[in-house]
Amino acid sequence: MLYSEKVMDHFTNPRNVGKLDDADGVGEVGNAKCGDIMKIYLKIDGDVITDVKFNTFGCGSAIATSSMATEMIKGKPLSEALELTNKAVVEALDGLPPQKIHCSVLAEEAVKAAIKDYFDNTGKEYDPALFKGGHSCDNCCNG
Ligand code: FES
């Protein structure tokens, strides 16, 4: 089978879909390869992500990885969420077909963009190197 049961589960029944009107950080990224877009909303209390929602205008793999990524960062400290990699999300989904790996990059980058937005909104100091690299819009489309 092309897709794992976990991918099918998160695709057909995605967790944390929607938006948070009172989000503390919002991250939106586009996938340069296919033009798909993902938006993630974070509610942050102290240093912990207390709630997260996402909207993805993308393929099934993008939806499944967004869903899994939100599950993996909910209730976690920001430092842990910043360490979330697309590889870890793909592993948690029991893999993706090689040609769909690029879809998982959206989730990692949207989480990072939302945390950066929170830092910027609250004037918190951070190491800009944390947000370098990858394929977010900041780095390739608008940069
Ligand atoms: Fe665009 Fe999957 S094909 S995110």
Side-chain angles (χ1 to χ4, degrees):
M1 185 162 110
L2 200 53
Y3 292 104
S4 73
E5 267 174 42
K6 279 193 189 157
V7 172
M8 292 309 291
D9 175 31
H10 279 265
F11 168 56
T12 51
N13 179 26
R15 324 305 196 255
N16 307 308
V17 174
K19 71 183 278 207
L20 293 172
D21 287 329
D22 56 349
D24 297 305
V26 180
E28 182 173 340
V29 295
N31 191 321
K33 268 198 160 171
C34 60
D36 290 344
I37 293 172
M38 178 184 303
K39 203 162 178 179
I40 279 191
Y41 304 82
L42 299 178
K43 190 85 197 129
I44 296 162
D45 188 7
D47 202 28
V48 173
I49 297 172
T50 53
D51 203 3
V52 47
K53 291 261 189 280
F54 80 92
N55 268 315
T56 295
F57 303 95
C59 69
S61 300
I63 291 167
T65 44
S66 315
S67 168
M68 179 56 94
T70 57
E71 289 277 276
M72 290 169 83
I73 63 168
K74 202 171 185 175
K76 297 279 163 56
L78 293 175
S79 55
E80 248 178 77
L82 280 169
E83 280 170 11
L84 181 81
T85 61
N86 72 307
K87 194 163 171 273
V89 179
V90 170
E91 275 167 14
L93 285 168
D94 293 335
L96 275 176
Q99 70 272 26
K100 302 304 274 179
I101 293 290
H102 77 270
C103 311
S104 67
V105 175
L106 271 183
E108 175 189 332
E109 294 186 341
V111 169
K112 290 209 169 108
I115 295 174
K116 183 173 182 298
D117 184 51
Y118 166 70
F119 285 159
D120 288 339
N121 288 341
T122 51
K124 283 206 195 318
E125 296 210 359
Y126 58 86
D127 178 359
L130 277 176
F131 301 104
K132 285 239 168 75
H135 300 87
S136 74
C137 289
D138 281 353
N139 294 325
C140 57
C141 304
N142 307 322

